[in-house]
């Protein structure tokens, strides 16, 4: 539904790629090959079972991690966090590779990318182990019909519940900023493409959360996280 937010030739040098899982809308072979050719020294971090496919597509440096494992990359610490999802590229490989979210700690800042996930009980543990976070990237789209999708994708209400769990252990520090992701790019489910951003804004306000702590960005928009 939406063209790439940044033209490939306008990308800055890529040092690290964090790969959440193997679904086609998250792992496109042509894009992987193109990145691998242009940035051969980039290090890719991937969940269990996924590195062989990345290497076949030309990736040279791959670090494989299980849930709760970490890796040091220069001055950054990268953590592999659990998610509630599944994996498959065809009819016979369902759940043969793992899926995950990722955390980054660098320069005194902490970021959490939840990956594709439904609402699960480990968000608080993610915060305990890797937080407190300055920025959390939580999916808000691809949720209808709920009877089928809720186990694997967050809707806006579930995203707020996850956000509360992520900030819960740290009442004495500022709440993280939430960046709403996973909407408006692919038509995957039944809700209108423009519903998730409008719905998250509405339920965020109804929940009494600070307006400035919610980022619903336009595709291609850039913002700077304040001090």
């Amino acid at each position: 539904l939406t063209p790439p937010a940044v033209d490939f030739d306008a990308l800055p040098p890529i040092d690290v790629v964090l790969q959440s899982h193997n679904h086609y809308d998250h792992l496109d072979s042509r894009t992987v090959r193109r990145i691998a050719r242009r940035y051969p020294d980039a290090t890719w971090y991937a969940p269990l079972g996924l590195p062989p496919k990345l290497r076949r597509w030309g990736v040279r440096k791959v670090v494989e991690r299980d849930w709760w494992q970490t890796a040091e990359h220069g001055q950054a610490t990268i953590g592999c966090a659990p998610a509630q999802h599944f994996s498959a590229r065809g009819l016979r490989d369902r759940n043969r590779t793992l899926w995950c979210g990722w955390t980054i700690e660098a320069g005194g800042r902490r970021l959490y990318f939840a990956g594709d996930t439904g609402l699960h009980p480990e968000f608080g543990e993610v915060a305990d182990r890797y937080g407190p976070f300055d920025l959390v990237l939580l999916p808000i789209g691809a949720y209808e019909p709920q009877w089928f999708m809720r186990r694997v994708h967050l809707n806006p209400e579930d995203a707020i519940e996850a956000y509360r769990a992520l900030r819960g252990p740290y009442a004495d520090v500022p709440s993280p900023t939430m960046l709403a992701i996973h909407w408006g790019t692919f038509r995957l489910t039944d809700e209108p493409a423009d519903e998730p951003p409008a719905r998250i804004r509405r339920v965020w306000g109804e929940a009494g959360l600070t307006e400035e702590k919610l980022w619903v960005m336009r595709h291609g928009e850039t913002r700077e996280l304040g001090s």
Side-chain angles (χ1 to χ4, degrees):
L1 301 176
T2 304
V6 179
D7 184 79
F8 188 87
D9 291 329
L11 289 171
I14 293 176
D15 303 298
V16 171
V17 179
L18 303 179
Q19 188 63 47
S20 60
H21 63 302
N22 72 353
H23 284 159
Y24 285 90
D25 57 323
H26 293 261
L27 186 66
D28 176 71
S29 61
R30 290 178 297 176
T31 304
V32 172
R33 294 176 192 275
R34 194 175 185 186
I35 294 173
R37 286 194 301 268
R38 180 71 62 87
Y39 307 104
D41 293 327
T43 301
W44 294 59
Y45 289 82
L48 295 179
L50 202 50
K53 183 174 291 293
L54 294 173
R55 292 190 181 99
R56 286 198 298 272
W57 291 344
V59 174
R60 296 182 186 179
K61 300 179 181 179
V62 188
V63 177
E64 185 177 32
R65 285 294 180 266
D66 196 358
W67 292 350
W68 304 125
Q69 291 183 335
T70 60
E72 301 299 320
H73 188 96
Q75 300 299 310
T77 299
I78 297 174
C80 183
Q84 182 172 290
H85 202 58
F86 69 103
S87 65
R89 296 285 289 189
L91 297 177
R92 299 181 180 180
D93 66 342
R94 188 177 180 89
N95 295 341
R96 297 286 182 87
T97 63
L98 193 60
W99 50 94
C100 69
W102 294 99
T103 67
I104 304 174
E105 180 181 359
R109 294 295 186 93
R110 293 183 176 94
L111 175 149
Y112 170 51
F113 161 59
D116 259 19
T117 186
L119 187 64
H120 61 75
E122 299 299 327
F123 285 108
E125 183 68 18
V126 171
D128 283 337
R129 296 197 188 203
Y130 300 124
F133 296 111
D134 300 285
L135 181 67
V136 295
L137 285 67
L138 294 178
I140 63 165
Y143 48 75
E144 293 292 353
Q146 280 283 275
W147 67 266
F148 181 67
M149 301 306 299
R150 191 169 191 182
R151 290 183 297 174
V152 296
H153 287 153
L154 297 175
N155 64 19
E157 291 81 1
D158 289 339
I160 288 178
E161 192 167 339
Y163 176 82
R164 284 175 164 156
L166 289 165
R167 72 171 186 165
Y170 302 104
D172 57 338
V173 300
S175 298
T177 296
M178 174 182 151
L179 172 59
I181 62 172
H182 202 258
W183 63 272
T185 302
F186 295 96
R187 190 178 298 281
L188 301 172
T189 47
D190 292 345
E191 78 273 4
D194 59 351
E195 180 180 285
R199 185 164 159 181
I200 188 64
R201 289 188 181 99
R202 175 175 56 80
V203 298
W204 187 270
E206 292 172 352
L209 297 169
T210 305
E211 181 179 354
E212 292 74 19
K213 292 292 185 177
L214 175 65
W215 287 1
V216 183
M217 296 171 63
R218 299 183 305 275
H219 290 74
E221 181 182 353
T222 297
R223 295 190 189 181
E224 183 173 337
L225 189 66
S227 59

